[in-house]
């Protein structure tokens, strides 16, 4: 007999919370009991669709004995307050990226987690996204040889049409927290901690928001692996790609989330193959969370791990004096 679905409260019924709730239900292992948003109408609409109870206050969700866990998809500036409230109420927590906007807030979340005896996972979903997942697996298997250099770009044109808080540094933390956190976390998870950082930021185009027009990072990893990352909101078209140079292959794409667009150039005698999964990455991520909860194992992305990504971003901003 399969175990009963996990009873979950959704905190944040915005664009991503709504999507995450649908993925969660799709696992067949989660039942959304309560949907919470400070916008009461938004909470009510989604709660009706999900046959859940609507709340406009996280405390009300956390006080419910029929809720065992929460999915938190509120703006990042509120992540610490919301995660700590849920952990103190004894709930298991799945927290969207970025974990928080400061190292101090990450430490406070991790302290609350340790004191609660509950588990926290942070949603760094790029670890389950193709082609990133398959490249990481191939690198770890040794078939790509040594990592030499990586170039990543994620250039945005219409990004700020999504949600107003994303354009305010107090709300989103800036481009590195809201967008680059995906690639920076993936890089850490595959190649280890960054040893050196240089950052250049430009903000001079006329705009109604506070985010970087252009942010360029130069990251040094152990063993001489280097990465250049270029992002920002001041570009004339969206463009998202990478070029990763390894000892035995160069792997590149100008459509970063489309495995069909990956080009592999082999540099040695051994054929290089990437084994792409067909599973929806958000589904795989939630399944990994549920598996770890069921087996009482360490989370695939722990609070300590996600806090290191926040520390990297904070260091990158400090390096630019931002
Ligand atoms: N993993 C991914 O691929 C991915 C993609 C998009 C967004 N995200 C993350 O998801 C989170 C939410 O982003 P979004 O795009 O859905 O933003 P959004 O603005 O669409 O949704 C946020 C929701 O939180 C609600 N909210 C704000 N304050 C609240 C409070 N005190 N209590 C309850 N609800 C409150 C807002 O009313 C809104 O409905 C962010 O952390 C973002 O970085 C992750």
């Amino acid at each position: 007999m399969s175990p009963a679905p996990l009873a979950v409260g959704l905190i944040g019924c915005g664009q991503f919370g709504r999507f995450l709730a649908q993925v969660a239900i799709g696992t067949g292992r989660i039942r959304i009991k309560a949907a919470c948003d400070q916008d009461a109408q938004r909470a009510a609409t989604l709660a009706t669709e999900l046959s859940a109870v609507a709340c406009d206050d996280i405390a009300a969700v956390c006080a419910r004995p029929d809720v065992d866990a929460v999915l938190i998809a509120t703006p990042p500036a509120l992540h610490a307050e919301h995660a700590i409230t849920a952990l103190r109420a004894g709930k298991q927590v799945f927290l969207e990226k970025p974990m928080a906007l400061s190292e101090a807030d990450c430490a406070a979340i991790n302290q609350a987690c340790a004191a609660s005896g509950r588990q926290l996972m942070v949603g760094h979903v790029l670890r389950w996204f193709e082609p990133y997942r398959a490249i990481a697996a191939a690198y770890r298997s040794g078939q790509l040889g040594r990592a030499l250099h990586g170039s990543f770009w994620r250039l945005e044109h219409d990004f700020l049409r999504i949600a107003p808080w994303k354009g305010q540094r107090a709300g989103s933390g800036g481009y590195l927290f809201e967008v680059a956190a995906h690639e920076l976390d993936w890089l850490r998870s595959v190649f280890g901690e960054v040893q050196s950082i240089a950052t250049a930021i430009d903000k001079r185009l006329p705009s109604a928001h506070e985010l970087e027009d252009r942010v360029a990072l130069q990251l040094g990893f152990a063993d001489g692996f280097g990465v250049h990352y270029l992002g920002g909101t001041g570009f004339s078209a969206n463009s998202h790609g990478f070029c990763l140079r390894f000892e035995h292959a160069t792997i590149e794409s100008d459509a970063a989330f489309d495995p069909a667009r990956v080009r592999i150039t082999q540099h040695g005698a051994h054929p290089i193959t990437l084994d792409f999964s067909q599973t929806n990455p958000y589904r795989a991520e939630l399944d990994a969370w549920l598996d770890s909860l069921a087996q009482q194992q360490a989370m695939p992305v722990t609070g300590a791990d996600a806090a290191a990504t926040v520390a990297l971003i904070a260091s990158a901003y400090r390096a630019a004096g931002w």
Side-chain angles (χ1 to χ4, degrees), residues 237-261:
N238 294 340
S239 175
H240 188 186
F242 62 82
C243 176
L244 271 160
R245 298 172 198 281
F246 296 94
E247 189 180 359
H248 301 316
T250 296
I251 304 176
E252 52 198 318
S253 174
D254 55 12
F257 292 151
D258 183 356
R261 298 274 287 274

Side-chain angles (χ1 to χ4, degrees), residues 2 75 109 132 142 166 182 188 209 225 297:
S2 52
I109 295 172
Y132 297 89
K166 296 190 183 187
H182 287 295
R188 280 191 51 255
H209 65 78
F225 176 53
Q297 288 176 347

Side-chain angles (χ1 to χ4, degrees), residues 11-17 36-39 42 56 58 73-76 78-79 82 96-98 123 125 162-163 165-166 178 182 282:
I11 316 294
C13 303
Q15 191 183 43
F16 194 72
C36 168
D37 201 290
Q38 69 171 11
D39 179 332
R42 200 174 275 189
D56 59 7
I58 182 174
T74 50
L78 300 169
H79 283 183
H82 290 167
E96 255 316 310
K97 52 57 61 179
V125 72
I162 300 173
W165 60 263
K166 296 190 183 187
E178 183 53 24
H182 287 295
Y282 296 98

Side-chain angles (χ1 to χ4, degrees), residues 26 119 167 186 191 199 210 222 271 275 286 290 307:
Q119 296 258 56
W186 182 80
F191 302 105
T199 310
E210 299 173 347
D275 185 13
L286 286 181
L290 294 166

Side-chain angles (χ1 to χ4, degrees), residues 5 12 24 52 58 60 65 78 85 87 105 128 199 202 218 222 228-229 247 250 284 287 294:
I58 182 174
L78 300 169
T85 300
L87 288 162
D105 275 357
W128 287 269
T199 310
D202 245 305
Q218 196 68 51
H228 182 256
Y229 173 91
E247 189 180 359
T250 296
D287 273 327

Side-chain angles (χ1 to χ4, degrees), residues 13 35-37 39-50 52-55:
C13 303
C36 168
D37 201 290
D39 179 332
Q41 185 56 51
R42 200 174 275 189
T45 304
L46 190 58
T48 303
E49 287 173 32
L50 300 174
V53 173
C55 303

